[in-house]
């Protein structure tokens, strides 16, 4: 690695001479713009918009547009008069708890390497930050710009994280945030179960850039003159779920299945079919019945008259 900055960390009355190195690098596959017919590189010329002449790099200055066609031109001498461009100090302003720094403020990371003569104060600051579980808030001038930054410890090395200024963070203004939308307790409980089923310790080495690997395979195949084999189609993203609880429940079951855990026992209350729901509605709805008509009273049997023997003989 090549040092991009040399200076000192100002820690109270202690000065720690350090060198700055970029801690990260982008692994994107870069392309050049070329002519499709012959592969020639496309070049861009610096041309003045007024006289149309090509301008040498040494004749280029920085201009600030005031609007309305007015431009303020700044030369190298104007920037040389600023105190920040010659500053070679990382000034510690205060020490704060690490959890109070919002990660959205972080910009770029750099490693700090101490000079041989500054090894002891370097270790002192490193160990003090570790023991107190705090980070140092500092100011540093990099590339003609004053930047807010933090000093923290990572694998026994001091890391400088440049930060964005508070006015550089955009506010989240969305109309939906003004609406009163809340989840039911049952949905929150199911979402918590889904999070627990997918919980793990973070290991960044388990993740890879599948797109970059596939693109590199295409390039290697082109160089070797091989046929490019299309990768297998990935599973399509599921459609938007209508029933949120059903989607959460299915997600929990899929997450547990991916981990080899047994599927949860079916719930006691099964989902009722439409016919069953109709029966429930029928049972729940009272039905008014017409009062039953009273059956006609049975006629009383007339007792048989006693027949005298004379009349009996006569009838006979």
């Amino acid at each position: 690695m090549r040092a991009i900055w040399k200076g000192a960390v100002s820690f109270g009355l202690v000065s720690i001479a350090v060198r700055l190195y970029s801690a990260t690098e982008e692994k994107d596959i870069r392309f050049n713009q070329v002519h499709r017919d012959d592969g020639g590189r496309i070049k861009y010329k610096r041309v003045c918009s007024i006289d149309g002449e090509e301008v040498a790099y040494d004749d280029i200055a920085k201009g600030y547009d005031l609007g309305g066609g007015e431009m303020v031109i700044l030369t190298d001498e104007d920037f040389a008069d600023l105190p920040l461009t010659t500053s070679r100090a990382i000034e510690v302003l205060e020490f704060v708890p690490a959890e109070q720094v919002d990660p959205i403020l972080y910009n770029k990371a750099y490693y700090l390497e101490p000079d041989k003569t500054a090894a002891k104060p370097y270790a002192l600051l490193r160990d003090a930050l570790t023991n107190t579980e705090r980070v140092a808030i500092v100011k540093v001038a990099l590339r003609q710009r004053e930047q807010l930054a933090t000093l923290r410890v990572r694998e026994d090395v001091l890391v400088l994280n440049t930060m964005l200024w508070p006015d550089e963070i955009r506010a989240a203004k969305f109309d939906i945030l003004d609406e009163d939308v809340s989840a039911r307790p049952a949905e929150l409980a199911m979402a918590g179960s889904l999070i627990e089923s997918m919980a793990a310790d973070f290991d960044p080495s388990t993740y890879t850039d599948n797109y970059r690997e596939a693109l590199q395979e295409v390039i290697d195949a082109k160089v070797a003159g091989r046929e490019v084999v299309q990768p297998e189609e990935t599973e399509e993203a599921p459609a938007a779920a209508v029933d949120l609880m059903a989607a959460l429940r299915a997600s929990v079951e899929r997450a547990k299945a991916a981990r080899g855990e047994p599927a949860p026992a079916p719930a006691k209350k099964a989902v009722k079919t439409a016919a069953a729901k109709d029966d429930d509605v029928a049972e729940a709805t009272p039905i008014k019945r017409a009062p039953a008509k009273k059956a006609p009273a049975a006629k009383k049997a007339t007792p048989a008259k006693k027949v005298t023997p004379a009349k009996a003989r006569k009838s006979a």
Side-chain angles (χ1 to χ4, degrees):
M1 292 188 294
R2 183 176 61 87
I4 63 173
W5 184 89
K6 290 183 180 181
V9 177
S10 177
F11 173 36
L13 298 179
V14 179
S15 180
I16 308 172
V18 294
R19 289 182 293 272
L20 206 66
Y21 299 86
S22 292
T24 60
E25 60 178 342
E26 293 185 0
K27 292 289 187 178
D28 290 343
I29 298 177
R30 301 182 182 276
F31 296 96
N32 297 315
Q33 291 186 333
V34 298
H35 189 196
R36 187 186 301 274
D37 295 337
D38 54 19
R41 291 279 298 271
I42 304 299
K43 296 183 179 181
Y44 296 92
K45 295 182 179 181
R46 295 177 292 270
V47 179
C48 178
S49 61
I50 297 178
D51 57 21
E53 297 292 332
E54 185 176 355
V55 181
Y57 186 79
D58 294 337
D59 296 333
I60 296 178
K62 292 181 174 64
Y64 182 79
D65 191 357
L66 296 176
E70 295 182 334
M71 187 77 65
V72 175
I73 299 177
L74 300 177
T75 63
D76 293 338
E77 290 75 15
D78 296 325
F79 289 100
D81 293 337
L82 297 177
L84 297 177
T85 57
T86 57
S87 177
R88 289 292 178 181
I90 300 175
E91 181 187 0
V92 177
L93 305 177
E94 57 186 358
F95 297 94
V96 301
E99 63 272 10
Q100 291 184 1
V101 181
D102 192 338
I104 198 174
L105 294 169
Y106 287 131
N107 191 10
K108 190 170 176 55
Y110 300 90
Y111 290 134
L112 292 183
E113 180 192 24
D115 285 347
K116 293 182 179 180
T117 58
K120 187 173 182 179
Y122 181 94
L124 174 65
L125 177 58
R126 178 195 63 196
D127 296 342
L129 289 175
T130 302
N131 294 339
T132 58
E133 297 182 352
R134 289 178 177 263
V135 298
I137 303 297
V138 303
K139 275 187 177 182
V140 59
L142 294 175
R143 298 183 177 89
Q144 297 181 344
R145 182 189 178 192
E146 185 180 54
Q147 299 192 49
L148 192 66
T150 62
L151 276 182
R152 61 186 182 88
V153 181
R154 181 181 186 272
E155 298 179 354
D156 293 336
V157 177
L158 287 178
V159 176
L160 177 79
N161 277 103
T162 57
M163 303 168 63
L164 301 172
W165 295 99
D167 58 356
E168 295 178 319
I169 305 299
R170 295 177 176 176
K173 296 181 179 179
F174 305 106
D175 294 338
I176 194 173
L177 298 178
D178 298 331
E179 300 179 4
D180 186 11
V181 180
S182 58
R184 295 181 299 168
E187 294 170 342
L188 283 174
M190 187 60 67
S193 300
L194 176 58
I195 292 175
E196 289 298 327
S197 64
M198 299 177 65
D201 293 328
F202 178 61
D203 182 7
S205 62
T206 60
Y207 303 95
T208 57
D209 188 346
N210 297 330
Y211 176 81
R212 178 161 57 91
E213 292 179 354
L215 182 57
Q216 188 64 54
E217 177 65 22
V218 171
I219 295 174
D220 295 341
K222 283 275 189 179
V223 174
R226 293 183 285 107
E227 179 183 358
V228 180
V229 180
Q230 295 294 337
E232 296 182 0
E233 295 183 0
T234 57
E235 183 180 356
E236 295 183 358
V242 178
D243 190 343
L244 183 57
M245 280 296 294
L248 289 171
R249 189 178 294 108
S251 300
V252 172
E253 294 176 359
R254 184 174 64 176
K256 290 185 176 181
R259 294 191 173 205
E261 299 180 9
K268 292 182 178 180
K269 294 183 179 181
V271 180
K272 295 184 178 181
T273 60
K277 290 181 179 179
D278 293 342
D279 294 342
D280 292 346
V281 174
E283 292 178 3
T285 306
I287 300 176
K288 295 183 179 180
R289 301 180 182 276
K293 295 181 179 181
K294 294 183 179 180
K299 294 182 180 181
K300 295 182 179 180
T302 306
K305 294 181 179 181
K306 294 182 178 180
V307 182
T308 58
K311 289 182 178 181
R313 288 196 300 269
K314 186 177 180 179
S315 60

